[in-house]
Amino acid sequence: MTVPVIVDCDPGHDDVFALWLAAGRPELDLLAVTTVGGNVSLEHTSRNARIALSVAGVTGVPVAAGAPGPLARELSTAEWIHGENGLGGPELPDPDAGPSPVRLDPRTATELIADTLAAASEPVAIIATGPITNVAVLLRERPDLAPRIREVVWMGGSTDRGNATPYAEFNAWVDPEALDLVLRSGVRFTMVGLNVTHRALVTASVRERLAAIGNRTARFGDELLEFFCRTNDEVFGMPDGPLHDPVAVAVLADPDSVTVARTRLDVELVGSETVGATSVDLDGMLGREANAFVAVGIDVDRFWAGVEAAVAGLA
Ligand code: BDR
Ligand code: CA
């Protein structure tokens, strides 16, 4: 049985691998891709999502652009990790040309998600790998569609420390109001945070195995990883860069590869130093009702085997 999914993303190097995992695994049926301003501007993330699909030979999946920035704040971007265009490293092809062109759908992200949810024969999962603005806008504008969302799996947050500020992870920090809105919506929600994605490391042996696949997707991916590992080394002292976003896809593609706990999850909206920090009450100290699943473990070898299999099956 395949899980129908929409990927909402802000590519970004790791978002590209999330798209490839979603498109390449037989357990998932990728119905649509939507983009949000995050790692870089919406203009770049929308083009980069199309490049990711085009390089991998994935045509026929609509791609629509969504929110250029957060619900209530200025957009903060992450060029220092992803480069000026969001996909530093390889020479970027024109997604409108080449053997597998992928054009931008004229609908907004919200319209595309709404149409996809309404047309599907069963509830559809949304995998969000950027600031969760588009999902929040959808739930605000079309609350009637909430029952059509099977669940939201989001890469972001952390059970411990952050990477944008000492306590806030980037996606949560960029748009905490959106995260708060989605958490309050009652839609089934899984957070995949830095506490697990920092174990999905692009080691030398991971790079060797991916490069050995040798297809167009793997070659492009290797150039992405070269850049991504260099910037993660420069910024965080992590030469084996953590490939965050595909871990959220793995939760649905291979549920046995990621362990989750049912718990209370909240996000800080105000605070002099803590805006965007996720409060994950794993020990039940607050006595509040659980409202989310939070990833707490990952089978790293199994995760990478899934990524490799997906890349091997693409162009
Ligand atoms: C998250 O922030 C972005 O830079 C990555 O694409 C990932 O979604 C990690 O904190
Ligand atoms: Ca991302």
Side-chain angles (χ1 to χ4, degrees), residues 101-125:
V102 178
R103 302 205 164 77
L104 191 64
D105 194 283
R107 289 170 285 186
T108 65
T110 313
E111 289 167 348
L112 175 56
I113 297 173
D115 288 351
T116 306
L117 294 176
S121 58
E122 60 180 305
V124 176

Side-chain angles (χ1 to χ4, degrees), residues 180-256:
D180 185 60
L181 191 154
V182 175
L183 283 172
R184 288 174 194 278
S185 73
V187 170
R188 181 184 159 112
F189 189 87
T190 301
M191 173 184 118
V192 181
L194 299 178
N195 53 297
V196 289
T197 67
H198 273 177
R199 297 187 53 209
L201 297 174
V202 183
T203 60
S205 80
V206 164
R207 276 196 64 192
E208 270 167 33
R209 291 200 306 273
L210 280 168
I213 294 168
N215 62 13
R216 187 171 71 202
T217 308
R219 287 197 303 275
F220 188 80
D222 191 53
E223 291 183 55
L224 288 177
L225 294 178
E226 170 83 34
F227 184 95
F228 186 68
C229 288
R230 192 170 66 242
T231 55
N232 271 279
D233 189 17
E234 286 163 8
V235 176
F236 297 117
M238 297 179 84
D240 299 341
L243 206 65
H244 311 278
D245 291 338
V247 183
V249 182
V251 167
L252 293 174
D254 182 15
D256 288 339

Side-chain angles (χ1 to χ4, degrees), residues 238-286:
M238 297 179 84
D240 299 341
L243 206 65
H244 311 278
D245 291 338
V247 183
V249 182
V251 167
L252 293 174
D254 182 15
D256 288 339
S257 65
V258 182
T259 312
V260 299
R262 179 92 185 136
T263 187
R264 179 75 202 183
L265 168 62
D266 294 285
V267 59
E268 282 281 84
L269 302 180
V270 288
S272 57
E273 309 292 342
T274 55
V275 167
T278 42
S279 163
V280 184
D281 190 16
L282 286 173
D283 298 320
M285 293 182 216
L286 302 173

Side-chain angles (χ1 to χ4, degrees), residues 14-15 39 82 129 155 163 169-171 194 244-245:
D14 51 336
D15 302 79
N39 282 321
H82 298 279
T129 62
M155 189 282 132
N163 62 356
E169 180 280 334
F170 179 78
N171 291 337
L194 299 178
H244 311 278
D245 291 338

